Amino acid sequence: MKKLFDFDEILFGADYNPEQWPQEVWQEDIKLMQAAQVNCVSLGIFSWAKIEPNDGIFSFDWLDTIIEMLHQGGIKVNLASATASPPAWLCKKHPDILPIDIAGQTLWPGSRQHYNPASESYRSHARRLIGAIAKRYGKHPAVISWHINNEYACHIQASFDDESARHFRYWLELRYEEISHLNRVWNTAFWSQNYESFDEILPPRKAPHNPNPGQLLDWKRFWSDKYVELVEMELAIIRELSPGIPVSTNLVGEQFFFDRRALSKNLDYVSWDSYPDPALGLQAASRNAMHHDFIRSLKADRPFVLMEQVNTQVNWRAINSQKPEGVMRAQSFQAIARGADGIMYFQWRQSKAGDEMFHGALVPHLGAVMPNGEETRAFREVRELGQELKNIKSIIGSIQKPQVAILYNAESHWALSLPSKPASIDTIQCIETWHKAFWNDHIDLDIVHPDDDLSGYKLIVAPALFMLSQTQANKIESFVEHGGKLICGYFSGIVDQNNHAYLGGHPRLLQKVLGIWVEEWHPLQKNECVTMIDQDCIKTEIHNWHELVHLAGAQAIASYDDGALAGNPSVTRNYFGKGSAYYLAADIDAPWIETFIISCIKKSGLRKRVISQAGLETSIRENDTHIFIFIINHNQSIAKADLASLSGTDLLSGKTFTGPIELNPQEVLILEIARSKSVHCP
């Protein structure tokens, strides 16, 4: 068990921006926080201009006051480095910090994230700011965590300015050493793109047609490294001045512009901001579960923190639906079910002006209490959740231990997203299809890198793993050989780490373990579909993509029933060593995928904890003494589940449950079961 904080409660609170309010509001805020059971606030995230109003002149009086008020009120602080939004004076004095877009246009201040991550002017001033804040508050008893920057790359993924170009050339020179090496990797013989020196290389700025794919991929790698550098820069300063206090940065779940695995490597815990669209219904719940699993898997040995969510509605979609009654609570427990030890919000008090003035908050414009004396729904739901979280302290530090994993590689994702493919294939969409099938069947899983240790899993899925190294292929082959089950999706293993296509049939490095080779790819038009028929004579539609596959030891367990590839295999199985490997050569409709997964789960020796209907999510956390089974009804109607032989006490109600049960819409159960009761822990 690994607790994130020296703190025996689920972290519960919100972004707090007292600088937006007169000081007389602060005392009211603290009383309301206490009433809502808030035990921590994130402070100072967008406060650079307030902390350093002029170059090298720091103003800490207001921050001293509010931190001490919070401390006296029993509320802990997740203190920000405040580097997310440079002040106006810095932009005026050092305009070189401003980012340049691909068309050469400057992105000016007046919003947020208006900085070039490669700018040395930005970095030097950020270092000074962080040092001043950490020196002053690094050992303050209220500070239990540090919050680096905010939502890296949310708005700025790259800058195409001359300074960034110099950094890019230097990065390339370190990577390749000789320009001839770069020319080979980028295959610059194509289209007369050969370089005689690194000085000739530019960023992939706006060009007449698609830039060199090798250049584009290295550009993405370069910027990923730049963001990792920023994190490491802030980490080093904070750890020197505030030793022993955990540090994190809030990731954006649906954005994959940098290698989150590399960026999170040295963080003490991972955190992220979750804003599912209420209008999507059950799809919002399943997609949110996937992103929780993405984040948790970055540091699977410890809990994570949900650093931001909204209790009511956001302000940045074309139509901003309200979360219905109970949805915020269900989504909060969903995060905990999938490994969170912290539930935070944006923000505490709704802004009265500014771009996010209509973004929901724990204290809305109407206030915590309406004119009729009743609590506003926004405040009431959060207060009630805060009280409930007091009852689940026993789960703190527990983790998930899935036996299923989906393979994801950021560089493969970037390479597949580059132009000039047979068709557009979205890596995350492919992963979502598989994840949702497991979610529907109530099976927990990790989302891991192909370089990670796979030995603890029984089943791994590789959807659209476009880029694959020899080392990774060997690891996958060994996994199957020693008894594991592999499901490999279409268009996998196509290129090496230099984005060069393997020759001799695809997927070249996995042909032995899969027992097949692919001759041709056949993408389908939007209004086009073909059918396949499996061994049970079940017909299923295929959209978007299918391939011409040849058997080389494998057997077909489904074949195309019509179209140009009629009679050829669409799904194959190959027994290899003690395990087996499946290849799905087509984009097969979800219902068949879900049925297929159920079969694979049974053959892998995995057992389901709870048998229940669609839309009822189950997940498990465990520690040395107990397992905790979460059951959440995301439906708008009553849903049924069967605990079979399990029996446990619900931490929220204190009731004991066993056998068949019914859950009301948005109802949550957290069953605590002692290991001594011989409970199977998948």
Side-chain angles (χ1 to χ4, degrees):
M1 185 175 79
K2 185 176 180 63
K3 288 170 49 179
L4 297 182
F5 313 104
D6 186 15
F7 190 53
D8 291 323
E9 295 184 27
I10 298 291
L11 205 69
F12 185 62
D15 279 20
Y16 184 38
N17 299 287
E19 65 272 27
Q20 296 180 17
W21 301 94
Q23 191 165 331
E24 55 264 27
V25 177
W26 299 358
Q27 195 63 52
E28 178 191 355
D29 283 336
I30 291 172
K31 289 180 180 179
L32 289 173
M33 289 176 190
Q34 292 169 335
Q37 307 297 322
V38 164
N39 54 39
C40 183
V41 294
S42 297
L43 196 64
I45 292 173
F46 293 108
S47 300
W48 191 340
K50 182 76 171 177
I51 293 171
E52 189 181 7
N54 289 290
D55 193 355
I57 299 174
F58 294 94
S59 176
F60 286 117
D61 290 350
W62 70 277
L63 197 52
D64 291 345
T65 300
I66 190 59
I67 289 178
E68 190 57 32
M69 289 174 66
L70 290 165
H71 181 50
Q72 293 302 318
I75 298 164
K76 303 296 184 181
V77 173
N78 175 38
L79 189 58
S81 63
T83 54
S85 195
W89 64 259
L90 179 55
C91 301
K92 181 180 179 181
K93 192 170 185 178
H94 296 280
D96 54 295
I97 77 164
L98 298 174
I100 307 294
D101 70 13
I102 193 170
Q105 298 294 313
T106 300
L107 302 179
W108 298 98
S111 180
R112 65 174 184 174
Q113 277 196 2
H114 45 277
Y115 64 88
N116 170 9
S119 165
E120 184 50 42
S121 293
Y122 166 77
R123 292 184 177 212
S124 63
H125 284 83
R127 283 192 291 267
R128 185 176 69 182
L129 174 70
I130 302 158
I133 296 172
K135 183 177 180 180
R136 192 173 188 91
Y137 304 110
K139 298 180 181 178
H140 195 290
V143 177
I144 63 164
S145 179
W146 285 94
H147 186 298
I148 288 177
N149 203 281
N150 185 74
E151 295 185 337
Y152 277 124
C154 181
H155 304 300
I156 303 297
Q157 290 86 55
S159 179
F160 294 79
D161 62 287
D162 290 340
E163 182 178 7
S164 296
R166 291 193 295 273
H167 283 288
F168 182 46
R169 287 190 284 268
Y170 178 68
W171 183 92
L172 291 170
E173 196 162 0
L174 289 177
R175 183 178 180 88
Y176 294 109
E177 297 183 349
E178 301 290 339
I179 193 66
S180 59
H181 185 196
L182 179 143
N183 282 322
R184 287 193 300 273
V185 171
W186 286 11
N187 193 29
T188 56
F190 186 81
W191 280 357
S192 188
Q193 293 176 346
N194 190 72
Y195 296 101
E196 291 299 320
S197 71
F198 287 99
D199 290 341
E200 296 175 358
I201 298 173
L202 295 171
R205 292 168 176 158
K206 194 170 180 63
H209 192 51
N210 296 329
N212 184 299
Q215 181 190 25
L216 285 174
L217 182 57
D218 275 345
W219 182 246
K220 291 177 180 290
R221 288 167 168 156
F222 162 73
W223 279 107
S224 180
D225 284 356
K226 285 297 165 187
Y227 277 109
V228 172
E229 284 178 7
L230 286 181
V231 169
E232 296 301 319
M233 177 188 82
E234 297 203 18
L235 271 174
I237 297 168
I238 291 170
R239 285 194 171 138
E240 178 184 354
L241 298 173
S242 186
I245 305 299
V247 187
S248 187
T249 187
N250 54 331
L251 304 176
V252 180
E254 297 186 0
Q255 296 183 354
F256 297 85
F257 300 118
F258 51 76
D259 185 346
R260 301 190 297 187
R261 180 172 175 261
L263 186 137
S264 302
K265 181 179 179 181
N266 291 320
L267 295 174
D268 294 297
Y269 66 97
V270 288
S271 61
W272 79 291
D273 300 346
S274 169
Y275 292 102
D277 187 350
L280 296 178
L282 280 179
Q283 186 181 3
S286 63
R287 185 172 293 171
N288 211 35
M290 177 186 71
H291 289 297
H292 283 313
D293 291 343
F294 258 116
I295 296 299
R296 185 200 68 250
S297 299
L298 294 171
K299 285 189 178 294
D301 65 336
R302 67 198 68 181
F304 66 93
V305 169
L306 176 57
M307 194 61 75
E308 287 186 24
Q309 64 170 334
V310 70
N311 56 326
T312 53
Q313 66 191 140
V314 300
N315 71 311
W316 37 264
R317 295 187 178 102
I319 299 175
N320 298 297
S321 300
Q322 279 276 359
K323 287 185 177 179
E325 180 91 20
V327 169
M328 178 278 295
R329 174 180 179 269
Q331 289 179 348
S332 298
F333 280 116
Q334 180 188 44
I336 296 171
R338 307 197 87 81
D341 269 6
I343 300 296
M344 305 285 282
Y345 298 82
F346 181 84
Q347 60 178 328
W348 166 253
R349 184 178 285 273
Q350 194 168 20
S351 301
K352 63 180 179 180
D355 183 69
E356 293 180 311
M357 63 188 290
F358 295 113
H359 192 290
L362 278 61
V363 180
H365 289 154
L366 188 57
V369 180
M370 295 184 286
N372 63 5
E374 296 180 2
E375 289 179 316
T376 51
R377 179 173 75 95
F379 185 77
R380 172 180 54 79
E381 282 197 289
V382 169
R383 178 185 57 75
E384 290 173 350
L385 176 62
Q387 292 172 341
E388 286 188 298
L389 294 181
K390 301 288 186 183
N391 298 327
I392 64 170
K393 294 180 182 180
S394 59
I395 73 162
I396 294 173
S398 63
I399 61 173
Q400 289 195 310
K401 295 183 179 180
Q403 293 184 322
V404 176
I406 292 177
L407 302 185
Y408 170 77
N409 177 1
E411 293 193 6
S412 175
H413 180 181
W414 301 335
L416 185 54
S417 71
L418 299 179
S420 300
K421 301 293 190 302
S424 176
I425 298 176
D426 186 327
T427 300
I428 303 306
Q429 192 174 71
C430 292
I431 289 175
E432 183 176 357
T433 297
W434 286 97
H435 187 281
K436 187 176 181 180
F438 283 105
W439 185 79
N440 283 339
D441 206 41
H442 316 291
I443 297 293
D444 290 331
L445 58 81
D446 288 332
I447 302 176
V448 302
H449 194 279
D451 287 337
D452 290 342
D453 181 10
L454 305 178
S455 61
Y457 301 106
K458 292 185 176 181
L459 173 64
I460 61 173
V461 184
L465 191 60
F466 178 67
M467 177 181 288
L468 190 70
S469 71
Q470 182 67 66
T471 300
Q472 293 163 356
N474 292 345
K475 184 185 290 282
I476 291 171
E477 185 176 295
S478 176
F479 168 81
V480 177
E481 188 173 19
H482 288 87
K485 282 191 167 43
L486 165 70
I487 302 172
C488 184
Y490 56 87
F491 213 50
S492 291
I494 308 300
V495 300
D496 65 13
Q497 55 268 45
N498 291 324
N499 200 31
H500 288 198
Y502 289 111
L503 306 180
H506 298 294
R508 186 69 182 89
L509 301 185
L510 296 177
Q511 287 182 16
K512 182 179 176 183
V513 68
L514 292 172
I516 57 99
W517 53 273
V518 177
E519 181 181 356
E520 294 177 347
W521 304 302
H522 287 247
L524 297 165
Q525 298 297 323
K526 288 185 178 180
N527 59 352
E528 186 181 7
C529 78
V530 297
T531 58
M532 77 171 195
I533 185 166
D534 64 18
Q535 290 178 327
D536 297 321
C537 298
I538 303 297
K539 288 191 175 184
T540 304
E541 287 191 347
I542 289 168
H543 298 267
N544 305 317
W545 185 277
H546 64 326
E547 300 173 343
L548 176 57
V549 171
H550 295 269
L551 301 178
Q555 61 182 133
I557 61 173
S559 300
Y560 304 116
D561 195 45
D562 55 22
L565 304 184
N568 286 284
S570 57
V571 181
T572 65
R573 178 179 59 213
N574 189 46
Y575 294 108
F576 185 81
K578 297 179 180 179
S580 56
Y582 297 86
Y583 186 71
L584 278 65
D587 187 357
I588 306 169
D589 279 2
W592 189 90
I593 295 290
E594 291 180 15
T595 302
F596 173 66
I597 278 179
I598 292 171
S599 173
C600 289
I601 287 168
K602 290 178 179 177
K603 292 175 182 177
S604 301
L606 292 164
R607 289 167 54 191
K608 294 167 61 173
R609 300 170 296 282
V610 178
I611 301 170
S612 59
Q613 65 189 72
L616 202 154
E617 177 174 357
T618 68
S619 196
I620 189 168
R621 292 177 62 163
E622 57 184 283
N623 58 27
D624 292 340
T625 59
H626 291 81
I627 69 166
F628 305 92
I629 297 178
F630 290 73
I631 310 175
I632 305 170
N633 183 11
H634 294 289
N635 295 288
Q636 296 301 314
S637 58
I638 292 174
K640 297 180 180 180
D642 190 348
L643 301 179
S645 60
L646 293 179
S647 177
T649 301
D650 177 27
L651 293 178
L652 299 176
S653 67
K655 298 178 181 178
T656 299
F657 290 87
T658 187
I661 55 174
E662 288 187 347
L663 283 81
N664 291 319
Q666 312 306 323
E667 187 175 355
V668 178
L669 296 181
I670 306 175
L671 302 180
E672 183 180 51
I673 306 173
R675 286 187 178 277
S676 59
K677 294 184 178 181
S678 301
V679 176
H680 172 75
C681 298

